[in-house]
Amino acid sequence: MSLSTLESVQKLQAALHDKAKKSPDFRFYALYDKVYRKDVLTFAYECCKANGGAAGVDDQTFEDIEAYGAERWLDELMQELKSRTYRPLPVRRVFIPKPDGKSQRALGVPAIRDRAVMMAAVVVLDPIFEADLQPEQYAYRRGRSALDAVRHVHKLINTGHQEIVDADLAKYFDLLPHSELLKSVARRVVDGAMLHLIKMWLKAPAEETDDRGKKHRNTRNRDEGRGSPQGSPISPLLSNLYMRRFVLGWKKLGHEKRLEAYIVNYADDLVICCRGRAEEALATMRIMMTKLKLTVNETKTRVSKLPEEKFDFLGYTFGRCYSTKTGRAYLGTVPAKKRVIRICEAISSETGRNKTQLDHQTVVTKLNQMMNGWANYFCLGPVSKAYRAIDRHARKRLRQWLCAKHKATWPATRLFPEASLYAKYGLVCLPERTSSFSWAKP
């Protein structure tokens, strides 16, 4: 992809965003032709390729496309869109275990051709709707992150908002109502072809493979008029757009000011930080979610009152912490215990006896990638205790792996002393990361 292609896409996005920002009531009427513009479609394909991912129901991979000729493939896709003969394929549905280990999450895997067109639509639509999304929304937005949402909650609880509505929405992506969602899109987009494109994606059948290898297709989304496949490039934008209705409604109806209750939202996760009257805020939230045709998971939704209680949000536990230097109590964050357990389980999985055929560089590189990635996110508040626990577990598991690989019978600590795990084998030492973080000391 040439630099000029990237520049032309950036200019298009800047123009769309500026218009949307300056004219809050303007409805865009000529967008569909931008989706199949060669520079936009090429940029979208390259984004999909960079993200990788499995093939869809047609089994076409990126390698297949490159062998066929990416430019030729894109030209053919562009002609389908231009002639209005494009039709999305069914979405391949796969299931992955949820962190609790008890249930599964359904993910939709569209065909690469559909992912490319969806991404092209996102390239065009995102700068328009970015102008409308609320500051309380942090997911899937350029320049914003989950850590920013964590910092926002931290600020609120330290400015007197210590009654927390810890809300959980049941199957948010699966229950997004098509009619209301499309109205949210149509508030800004009057281009019928673009609206039709989104509608086709929402109503696309899902294909599943059973335990016997047989494929089955279902049309639940079309029949029930709800759901957006989690995992498709268009879903994050649509989910943010629909959640905006709740966040904006909360403020426009006066609940934020009346209850002194402030929302912080990341995708389908949200908390409402209240100065008081959290129970009333919870009841109001339930009513609004019902009107939006969304379901509150009552078993996981609760009110937490700090500092006596704690709550988890985006992998962090918020609550009372103590300074080991002064003994002073304060409201802060630590990595949630579940997240520490999860990374330790992942480390165990990568150092099992079934991995002894690998060389130590491969294993240690994988461990370092996992641990550094974890620590890059869990870097707020007193993290040293969590870092030390993970570091101990990583040393223990690496020693066990080295003993199994080399069929060693001597004590592992003598054969593979702590210093050698870092200096010789290159294992990352997480506790050293906190040396420059004065706030991260235990």
Side-chain angles (χ1 to χ4, degrees), residues 187-238:
R187 188 185 60 80
R188 276 295 206 170
V189 177
V190 73
D191 186 330
M194 178 64 90
L195 293 171
H196 179 65
L197 197 60
I198 296 171
K199 193 173 182 179
M200 285 196 297
W201 290 327
L202 290 174
K203 294 184 179 297
E207 183 176 280
E208 299 174 19
T209 304
D210 62 22
D211 295 336
R212 297 182 179 181
K214 292 185 178 180
K215 295 179 179 180
H216 306 273
R217 290 185 181 179
N218 74 69
T219 56
R220 186 191 68 84
N221 284 15
R222 186 189 68 192
D223 298 340
E224 297 181 8
R226 57 173 62 237
S228 175
Q230 194 172 356
S232 70
I234 197 75
S235 274
L237 175 62
L238 296 179

Side-chain angles (χ1 to χ4, degrees), residues 308-327:
E308 293 81 9
E309 298 176 301
K310 297 182 178 183
F311 70 96
D312 288 355
F313 182 58
L314 299 179
Y316 281 87
T317 296
F318 292 76
R320 182 186 280 142
C321 300
Y322 294 93
S323 169
T324 54
K325 289 184 178 180
T326 66

Side-chain angles (χ1 to χ4, degrees), residues 246-259:
F246 169 69
V247 177
L248 185 61
W250 185 262
K251 294 187 288 187
K252 284 202 167 188
L253 292 170
H255 303 317
E256 179 181 273
K257 187 175 181 180
R258 178 174 60 86
L259 301 172

Side-chain angles (χ1 to χ4, degrees), residues 9 21 28 60 118 128 148 152 167 205 225 255 293 357 363 382 393 406 432 438:
V9 171
K21 197 74 174 175
F28 291 80
Q60 187 177 53
M118 287 180 187
I128 295 171
D148 293 325
H152 189 173
H255 303 317
K293 299 183 179 180
Q357 77 279 7
V363 171
H393 186 74
H406 298 293
E432 287 184 359
S438 59

Side-chain angles (χ1 to χ4, degrees), residues 230-275:
Q230 194 172 356
S232 70
I234 197 75
S235 274
L237 175 62
L238 296 179
S239 69
N240 261 354
L241 190 54
Y242 199 65
M243 185 60 75
R244 173 187 177 273
R245 297 181 73 165
F246 169 69
V247 177
L248 185 61
W250 185 262
K251 294 187 288 187
K252 284 202 167 188
L253 292 170
H255 303 317
E256 179 181 273
K257 187 175 181 180
R258 178 174 60 86
L259 301 172
E260 293 188 272
Y262 297 88
I263 294 169
V264 180
N265 163 243
Y266 191 91
D268 56 345
D269 288 321
L270 68 97
V271 292
I272 307 174
C273 302
C274 312
R275 197 175 285 277

